[in-house]
Amino acid sequence: LGSHIIFANTSSASGSNPYSDLTERMRITSNGKVSIGTTTTTTNYNNTLQVHASGTGSSLLLTDSNSGTGNSDGFEMIMHNTNAFIIQRENSPLHIRTNATDAMTISATQKVGIGTTSPQNKLHVKTGVSSASSFDSRYKIILENDGEAYFSSYVPANSFSGIRFNDASSTRGFIDYYHGTQGDCLVYSATNHHKFLIGSSEKIRITSGGNVG
């Protein structure tokens, strides 16, 4: 039809003109844009696919012979009420690749790996093999490398950075660095006292009253 290819269907083939109640279902434009559910593809790029729903949700579901074909199978991308969802419906990882290499993996148990396809903890960032045989499950963030590994924060000069230790009610302690004119100093704070241990043996204690022992 003109510069488009239109796919349509009709609810009835009766009457003098069986095509009078045709409803368009899909359109392919001359520049390679494919639209489902809309007659106007709004993307700025050619050779694209746009799926539009007249209600509050549209989706693209991909399945194969191993996944099954039900609504709980395969891989799905959904737009619903302005929210976007990427869903791996199988009991398998979700892989995100760049330059043909796995950049991030989300396991079936919701562990996130960056630089590894087998994350061992909630967040596992790997740039090298440490030869560790296991990781303590209490540690929610793991940095693994075959050499050095650090946490770092960058802030403007004369600002603050640090770590907070909280429970359900309040901050119980912190380690801060006061940059530049703030003092260029490391600040420790605890609700009660400070303990310094070597191994499991306490060597020094600073009490809340300032006594050292």
Side-chain angles (χ1 to χ4, degrees), residues 165 167 170-174 188-194 207-209:
F165 304 97
D167 59 21
S170 63
T171 298
R172 311 304 293 173
F174 61 81
Y188 301 85
S189 176
T191 300
N192 195 347
H193 55 266
H194 292 281
T207 70
S208 58

Side-chain angles (χ1 to χ4, degrees), residues 111-204:
K111 294 176 181 177
V112 177
I114 298 175
T116 175
T117 58
S118 302
Q120 300 300 304
N121 292 61
K122 201 64 176 178
L123 175 60
H124 188 170
V125 181
K126 184 176 181 179
T127 53
V129 179
S130 66
S131 299
S133 58
S134 62
F135 299 91
D136 194 318
S137 61
R138 295 174 300 171
Y139 305 154
K140 306 309 177 185
I141 301 176
I142 295 293
L143 300 183
E144 184 181 6
N145 194 17
D146 55 4
E148 299 177 345
Y150 301 96
F151 283 102
S152 184
S153 63
Y154 287 82
V155 299
N158 307 319
S159 188
F160 307 89
S161 58
I163 302 173
R164 294 293 185 270
F165 304 97
N166 304 286
D167 59 21
S169 61
S170 63
T171 298
R172 311 304 293 173
F174 61 81
I175 302 173
D176 279 359
Y177 194 85
Y178 290 15
H179 296 258
T181 58
Q182 306 297 338
D184 260 339
C185 59
L186 196 61
V187 179
Y188 301 85
S189 176
T191 300
N192 195 347
H193 55 266
H194 292 281
K195 292 196 298 184
F196 297 85
L197 282 67
I198 297 178
S200 58
S201 177
E202 181 177 334
K203 300 302 182 182
I204 299 175

Side-chain angles (χ1 to χ4, degrees), residues 63-125:
T63 59
D64 62 18
S65 59
N66 294 312
S67 68
T69 58
N71 59 13
S72 61
D73 297 319
F75 170 73
E76 190 167 13
M77 292 181 288
I78 297 175
M79 183 70 183
H80 186 269
N81 282 334
T82 71
N83 296 305
F85 300 87
I86 298 174
I87 305 173
Q88 161 61 294
R89 296 198 178 279
E90 304 298 319
N91 186 24
S92 298
L94 173 65
H95 299 276
I96 299 174
R97 289 189 164 197
T98 61
N99 198 25
T101 302
D102 283 290
M104 184 171 72
T105 298
I106 304 175
S107 73
T109 54
Q110 290 82 54
K111 294 176 181 177
V112 177
I114 298 175
T116 175
T117 58
S118 302
Q120 300 300 304
N121 292 61
K122 201 64 176 178
L123 175 60
H124 188 170
V125 181

Side-chain angles (χ1 to χ4, degrees), residues 44-55:
N44 294 323
Y45 300 96
N46 295 331
N47 301 318
T48 59
L49 170 65
Q50 179 176 351
V51 181
H52 176 75
S54 58

